[in-house]
Amino acid sequence: MNEYIEIKFDGGIADKHQVSVRDLGRSLVHLQSAMDRAYLDVKHGKVWKHARLSGVKAFQETALIVGEPEKGSYLLKMFQSPDGKKGTIKRIAKALTAPFKAAQNEAAVLGYSLENQIANTRNALHHKQIAVRKFADLVKEPDEAIVRVYGDRSISKEVDQILIAVRKNPGVKLTLTFEEGGKSIFEFDAKTAAAFHRLVSHRALGGPVLYRGELRSLDRGPKQHRNYKGRFINADNGKTVTLHIFSQEDYDFLAPHIRTGDFDIIAAPIIEHDAFDPVGGDIQFLGLSKK
């Protein structure tokens, strides 16, 4: 078994060559999740939101075998199983390369807050400065702002969860090594981990799209005065997506339409880390269609 993933903790949380179950457990769970997302991307040529492994073979092909802890602050190596699918570990390293380099260079996250983007898009729609696309056109020709495949975002978000312990503990370092036909090493300190988080969690709105479907539910959340969510069944593909609802006024516009059949809304794809799954990605409510 020559293919492996190695995780190394340095600093305070690895005192006496030991780490807490919480920090290690979270790291292993999200490394396995990154492995699963990479496997789906390699196998199908893409990975979609909420996709999960199915069948015994898929779990065999994504298994990581934990080796003995090695000397160091705390170093653990996980080997790909003999049944592992080729290219999976390499796919994780590929997804991390661009955001890691940007984080090292402290690349700025450009753009306005989501609230300002919603207001600007609505103003442009009101003054007919931008056109509303059909959903079928979005699938065929994705928004120009979506420059990264969704698999990269999906994998990077899992690794970002591993870095929580690093971001919260100055002086701690975490090194991830991926070996499959070549070695890729990513070393994170608190500063790099924080920059990585800003990059992979940044959200932006795509252009407005006409969606037709049924509003299955609305959820105000506990003691929230805005940023509600709904579940919207897209009539074009039968997929249920999360519909983000910014204000109480928006919520009141939508409430009469719960489970009343198909109707038209204008919404914008929520692009995270320059990626969006057009089939099942989250969308931001902008208004009811006047057609």
Side-chain angles (χ1 to χ4, degrees):
M1 293 184 291
N2 296 321
E3 296 79 22
Y4 65 85
I5 299 173
E6 181 182 276
I7 184 168
K8 180 183 178 185
F9 293 92
D10 288 297
I13 63 172
D15 188 39
K16 298 179 180 178
H17 310 302
Q18 297 173 323
V19 295
S20 71
V21 170
R22 178 177 291 106
D23 290 329
L24 181 60
R26 177 173 52 228
S27 299
L28 296 183
V29 166
H30 287 289
L31 271 178
Q32 182 63 67
S33 293
M35 190 78 173
D36 296 347
R37 306 302 279 173
Y39 167 82
L40 291 168
D41 193 75
V42 171
K43 182 177 180 180
H44 300 290
K46 64 178 180 179
V47 61
W48 53 98
K49 197 175 181 71
H50 306 308
R52 296 291 181 268
L53 300 185
S54 62
V56 174
K57 184 179 180 182
F59 286 92
Q60 290 174 337
E61 291 185 331
T62 54
L64 289 170
I65 311 302
V66 180
E68 294 289 334
E70 299 181 17
K71 288 184 179 181
S73 295
Y74 188 86
L75 190 152
L76 192 63
K77 192 173 287 186
M78 291 145 282
F79 297 91
Q80 189 171 28
S81 76
D83 298 320
K85 188 169 185 62
K86 298 294 184 184
T88 303
I89 290 177
K90 186 184 293 186
R91 180 66 184 89
I92 301 176
K94 180 182 177 183
L96 297 182
T97 299
F100 176 72
K101 286 182 177 179
Q104 283 184 308
N105 296 327
E106 297 183 79
V109 177
L110 302 177
Y112 298 102
S113 69
L114 213 58
E115 179 179 356
N116 285 335
Q117 292 179 62
I118 293 168
N120 290 341
T121 302
R122 282 176 164 165
N123 183 63
L125 284 169
H126 177 74
H127 290 93
K128 299 182 179 180
Q129 295 171 336
I130 52 175
V132 178
R133 304 178 70 193
K134 294 181 179 179
F135 174 74
D137 294 333
L138 173 68
V139 174
K140 186 177 179 181
E141 296 182 24
D143 195 296
E144 290 182 1
I146 308 171
V147 297
R148 197 182 311 279
V149 296
Y150 184 75
D152 285 3
R153 181 262 175 189
S154 181
I155 294 166
S156 297
K157 290 287 281 187
E158 295 294 345
V159 172
D160 185 48
Q161 291 297 306
I162 299 171
L163 299 175
I164 289 174
V166 185
R167 291 197 295 271
K168 290 184 176 181
N169 295 280
V172 171
K173 289 185 179 180
L174 184 145
T175 304
L176 292 170
T177 302
F178 301 90
E179 170 63 60
E180 184 180 6
K183 188 178 291 186
S184 298
I185 301 174
F186 304 89
E187 184 178 292
F188 294 92
D189 57 16
K191 191 174 183 180
T192 307
F196 185 89
H197 174 71
R198 289 193 298 271
L199 288 161
V200 303
S201 62
H202 176 64
R203 300 196 302 168
L205 290 187
V209 177
L210 179 67
Y211 289 88
R212 182 167 184 78
E214 181 178 11
L215 184 61
R216 192 174 74 182
S217 64
L218 288 175
D219 182 8
R220 292 179 184 271
K223 298 181 181 179
Q224 287 184 217
H225 302 290
R226 62 181 187 177
N227 295 327
Y228 310 118
K229 292 182 180 179
R231 300 296 283 169
F232 185 81
I233 305 173
N234 188 339
D236 285 312
N237 61 12
K239 300 292 185 180
T240 300
V241 300
T242 298
L243 178 65
H244 292 254
I245 303 149
F246 177 69
S247 66
Q248 180 65 50
E249 184 180 11
D250 290 341
Y251 186 99
D252 292 340
F253 273 132
L254 287 167
H257 296 278
I258 298 177
R259 295 187 179 276
T260 59
D262 291 351
F263 69 111
D264 294 328
I265 64 169
I266 298 174
I270 297 179
I271 302 169
E272 298 181 84
H273 185 33
D274 297 337
F276 176 71
D277 174 12
V279 175
D282 292 5
I283 57 177
Q284 176 71 51
F285 176 74
L286 295 173
L288 298 175
S289 174
K290 297 180 181 179
K291 290 180 63 178

